[in-house]
Amino acid sequence: METFYQYLIVFITAIFVNNVVLSQILGICPFLGVSKKIDTALGMSAAVAFVLVLSTLVTYLLQYYVLNPMGLAYMQTIAFILVIAALVQMVEIILKKVSPALYQALGVYLPLITTNCAVLGVAILVIQKDFDLLMGIWYALSTALGFGLALTVFAGIREQLSMVAIPKGMQGMSIALVTAGLLSMAFMGFSGVDNGLKGFLGL
């Protein structure tokens, strides 16, 4: 039962308390660039979730079964970047041949994930937090959901802003950055929830 509560705490923390975009400032490029419409935000969220979980699995195995035994742990960042880039390209090729419909839905966003620092950040955090493989994958999935939530909410707000008369000096990226800051402050209201939950559960 304690393990279930630990998974619950990781899930809530990754989505709300330590949101990968709004708290840890990772993945800002797609957050600002692919958030003008909700449908594109959902597409990007799905692509990031898929690649994030897959890359976490592969980089975890790479770290503990290749880099550490060979004394190459200092090559972690370079190795992870190469693995993530290769995975994205491989997934893109496979989707294009196996499922053209899914490729059309996600293919536009897959190349953007190669430069999404959230994917690399999560892969490194899983190692730093000393998670086991199952918890690492769960953390990656929870983080992906947090990324999707932030991106979708932000896209919804930006769609509403497009129908509002905004002063010329604040149009475009200016109002987007202000909105992102306010949204980040809103998520700060969840700070301490994980500690409160741990206290409530007696962990």
Side-chain angles (χ1 to χ4, degrees):
M1 186 62 71
E2 182 176 333
T3 303
F4 170 77
Y5 290 143
Q6 290 173 344
Y7 276 82
L8 179 63
I9 290 171
V10 167
F11 180 76
I12 293 174
T13 302
I15 294 178
F16 299 106
V17 182
N18 291 324
N19 187 280
V20 67
V21 179
L22 301 175
S23 296
Q24 302 185 64
I25 321 298
L26 296 173
I28 293 297
C29 292
F31 180 69
L32 294 174
V34 197
S35 58
K36 294 182 180 179
K37 294 184 179 180
I38 292 180
D39 56 347
T40 55
L42 291 173
M44 185 64 179
S45 301
V48 166
F50 181 73
V51 173
L52 197 57
V53 173
L54 183 62
S55 64
T56 299
L57 171 63
V58 175
T59 53
Y60 183 95
L61 297 175
L62 176 68
Q63 179 73 34
Y64 286 103
Y65 293 98
V66 178
L67 297 181
N68 287 355
M70 296 179 67
L72 297 173
Y74 61 90
M75 297 287 290
Q76 180 191 73
T77 302
I78 296 175
F80 282 14
I81 290 173
L82 293 174
V83 166
I84 291 168
L87 278 175
V88 171
Q89 293 300 317
M90 183 183 70
V91 168
E92 188 174 3
I93 293 171
I94 292 174
L95 282 180
K96 190 173 183 179
K97 292 185 177 181
V98 176
S99 179
L102 187 58
Y103 174 77
Q104 290 296 327
L106 300 180
V108 179
Y109 311 109
L110 282 173
L112 296 175
I113 301 174
T114 307
T115 56
N116 188 346
C117 57
V119 180
L120 175 62
V122 170
I124 293 175
L125 283 172
V126 166
I127 305 301
Q128 290 179 347
K129 291 176 180 290
D130 200 26
F131 287 146
D132 57 31
L133 180 58
L134 191 59
M135 180 64 85
I137 293 174
W138 179 249
Y139 174 74
L141 179 60
S142 302
T143 302
L145 292 175
F147 177 85
L149 174 65
L151 188 61
T152 306
V153 170
F154 188 53
I157 295 174
R158 291 188 72 178
E159 280 192 355
Q160 294 297 315
L161 287 174
S162 65
M163 298 183 289
V164 177
I166 299 173
K168 189 174 182 180
M170 288 295 293
Q171 291 177 4
M173 193 54 65
S174 299
I175 191 65
L177 290 172
V178 171
T179 304
L182 293 173
L183 188 59
S184 179
M185 291 176 64
F187 268 70
M188 285 176 62
F190 293 107
S191 60
V193 169
D194 54 338
N195 291 328
L197 188 59
K198 288 178 182 178
F200 177 74
L201 299 174
L203 297 179

